[in-house]
Every structure is written in structure tokens, then in C-alpha cells.
Amino acid sequence: MSLDTHQSVYREQLLEHLLIGELLKLSWLRHGATLEVSKASLDRAGHDIVLEANGVMRHVQLKSSAVDASAASQKIHVGLGAKPSGCVIWICFDSATLQLGPFLFFGGAPGEPLPPLGDFRVARHTKANALGVKAERPNIRVIPKGRFRRVESVEALHRALFGI
């Protein structure tokens, strides 16, 4: 039994905690412990966490995949575009050690909104209905990996998020 397939929610939560821990550690060591973190109770509008530092509030949708995974895109909720400085952090990680990085970032500059999502393909449900049709998911867009910016370290990710 593989933990990757049978414990995917556990891994997702673990990676979220590891990322938040690294960002908080950096804030403690270099930025006067100014980072605030809030967790969304519901993922209704597309964000998992809210991060705030340096006067910038970021509604963040988290995605993850192993460094050697073949994922070519991510599905993003359009509601994220309505949030101030919405963004997506795609956490790449080593599946053997859970070492984080590099990161892939999709978002505007600190204080700027998410790039428009209207030109991206509308996602479809993974399972077909009784007629064999995979219905569209009108609030979800498919963002190709090439539209994400590669960020090598937690320090560089912090700068991308907050400009510090």
C-alpha cells in the first residue's frame, strides 16, 4: 500500500503545515515575526489559506506534486480572482524526504490581483454522467504549468508574496 495514494489528504495537510512553518520561520528570523496566517474553514472561493505581511494580504490556493510528477496543469477556482492579491502556490516536493521546493507561483505582484482567468480552458468533471458526458465545471479553469513562475526557495517565495 502506497501512502501517496491511500493517505493523500494527510500528505496535502502535511505539506501545507511544512510550507507555513517555513514561511513563519523566515518571518521570525528575518522580518520581525510579521507574518499572519489564517486558515479557510471552507474551500468555497478557491483559497486554502490567507497570508498577510508588509501590508499585503494574499488569498492562497495550494497545490502540490512530487518533483518528478508529470502534472502539466492545475485547476484553479475563478473565485480566487475576486480576492485581493489572490495567488496559487504549487509546492513541488521530494517524495522520499518531503523536502519542499522548488515552488511554482501563479499570481500578480504584491498588492496586485490574480491575472485574468477568462482565457483559460474551462475544466471538466473527471467522471462522466450516465450519458458518458463529462460536464463542464464553469467556476474552474485549467492553468498550464508553463504559466506558473518557478521560485527556487522559501525566501524567494516570500518576496514574490510580499515584496520584502
Side-chain angles (χ1 to χ4, degrees):
M1 177 174 87
S2 167
L3 284 176
D4 289 329
T5 53
H6 289 73
Q7 295 292 334
S8 60
V9 173
Y10 186 104
R11 184 185 71 189
E12 181 181 304
Q13 291 296 306
L14 173 60
L15 293 169
E16 178 180 315
H17 287 289
L18 290 171
L19 176 64
I20 290 170
E22 289 297 315
L23 288 168
L24 286 169
K25 180 170 69 173
L26 179 66
S27 178
W28 178 270
L29 294 173
R30 300 214 182 117
H31 303 290
T34 56
L35 179 63
E36 294 182 32
V37 179
S38 300
K39 175 97 170 119
S41 294
L42 301 171
D43 185 7
R44 191 174 151 256
H47 68 279
D48 299 301
I49 57 175
V50 178
L51 303 174
E52 186 173 1
N54 197 33
V56 177
M57 180 183 295
R58 291 284 198 171
H59 288 74
V60 182
Q61 187 171 22
L62 296 172
K63 301 292 185 176
S64 64
S65 61
V67 172
D68 57 357
S70 60
S73 62
Q74 290 290 351
K75 294 175 182 170
I76 308 302
H77 194 287
V78 296
L80 192 60
K83 299 295 183 184
S85 291
C87 64
V88 181
I89 299 172
W90 187 343
I91 305 166
C92 299
F93 64 95
D94 181 306
S95 56
T97 66
L98 294 182
Q99 180 69 36
L100 303 183
F103 305 93
L104 300 174
F105 180 79
F106 181 76
E112 297 296 320
L114 189 70
L117 299 175
D119 292 337
F120 294 104
R121 180 171 55 91
V122 175
R124 293 192 170 275
H125 285 277
T126 55
K127 294 182 180 178
N129 63 17
L131 300 174
V133 176
K134 293 182 179 180
E136 286 190 340
R137 298 175 69 192
N139 291 328
I140 308 294
R141 297 295 183 273
V142 179
I143 312 299
K145 191 174 193 175
R147 295 298 300 267
F148 284 77
R149 177 168 49 112
R150 185 179 169 108
V151 179
E152 295 297 330
S153 66
V154 172
E155 293 83 359
L157 181 61
H158 193 279
R159 278 192 304 278
L161 290 166
F162 308 112
I164 303 172

